[in-house]
Amino acid sequence: MTTRHTLNGLSRVAARPNVLFGGVYGAVLASSMVAALTQYGRASRADRMYDAQWLLITAAASALAHGYAHLIARRGDETHHGAVAAVRALAEEWPLLLATVPTLVMLFGAGLGWWNYAGIEYVALGFNVFLLFAWGLTAARVSGRTWARSLLLGVGDSLLGLIVVVANALIK
């Protein structure tokens, strides 16, 4: 029996292309936003609250843009039209939003003084790199790769994600 057939319910959900895409995109988005917003060394509690607000706005705007693009792209499909299809296309972007939640919590917590606000961006970046590793590992395992190969792909995916984040931060 292959790996694909032995997945439990949670793994099946995580293996869906829209979940993998949204999880990866959300982790990269959150990391890029934190890197871009904190690159000038401002690290007060108010700055962290500001960063969290901008991440929330950007994540919501990205989810809406992706949902809208999917709606337009599926318009020719007879089963994807009307208000229900529009709501469904937007609702399918939940993985992108969910992937930004850990970083949002870290930033809001720092902004509220729950923990140290200086350096929280490094904690968020490290966590998001781990998320990218986990998404890469999940995708590799679902595709039937061995554990050794999956771990290697997860490491490669997390490093690629880190490169994308650094590039985004340098551009912004």
Side-chain angles (χ1 to χ4, degrees):
M1 187 172 271
T2 65
T3 305
R4 176 171 278 137
H5 298 293
T6 61
L7 293 174
N8 63 30
L10 182 59
S11 296
R12 269 189 237 112
V13 170
R16 291 186 200 157
N18 76 306
V19 175
L20 289 167
F21 175 86
V24 169
Y25 193 94
V28 170
L29 174 71
S31 296
S32 298
M33 287 294 298
V34 168
L37 290 168
T38 61
Q39 72 179 341
Y40 299 110
R42 295 185 302 262
S44 70
R45 284 177 56 186
D47 291 327
R48 294 306 180 225
M49 191 61 74
Y50 175 84
D51 294 346
Q53 291 167 348
W54 269 111
L55 175 56
L56 183 61
I57 291 166
T58 303
S62 294
L64 285 172
H66 286 179
Y68 175 66
H70 285 292
L71 178 67
I72 299 300
R74 295 176 185 162
R75 192 165 277 160
D77 185 350
E78 292 179 18
T79 62
H80 288 69
H81 59 353
V84 172
V87 169
R88 187 175 298 132
L90 294 175
E92 287 177 357
E93 296 303 320
W94 67 264
L96 187 157
L97 294 171
L98 187 61
T100 64
V101 168
T103 302
L104 279 169
V105 169
M106 288 180 221
L107 292 173
F108 274 124
L112 294 171
W114 294 346
W115 43 76
N116 191 1
Y117 48 84
I120 194 68
E121 67 271 19
Y122 300 109
V123 176
L125 180 60
F127 185 83
N128 286 321
V129 168
F130 174 77
L131 279 180
L132 293 171
F133 166 78
W135 287 118
L137 176 71
T138 300
R141 288 297 296 156
V142 165
S143 70
R145 292 191 169 78
T146 65
W147 274 106
R149 183 75 175 141
S150 297
L151 289 168
L152 186 61
L153 285 169
V155 168
D157 290 340
S158 62
L159 291 175
L160 181 60
L162 188 57
I163 291 167
V164 170
V165 168
V166 169
N168 277 333
L170 292 175
I171 291 169
K172 294 177 178 155

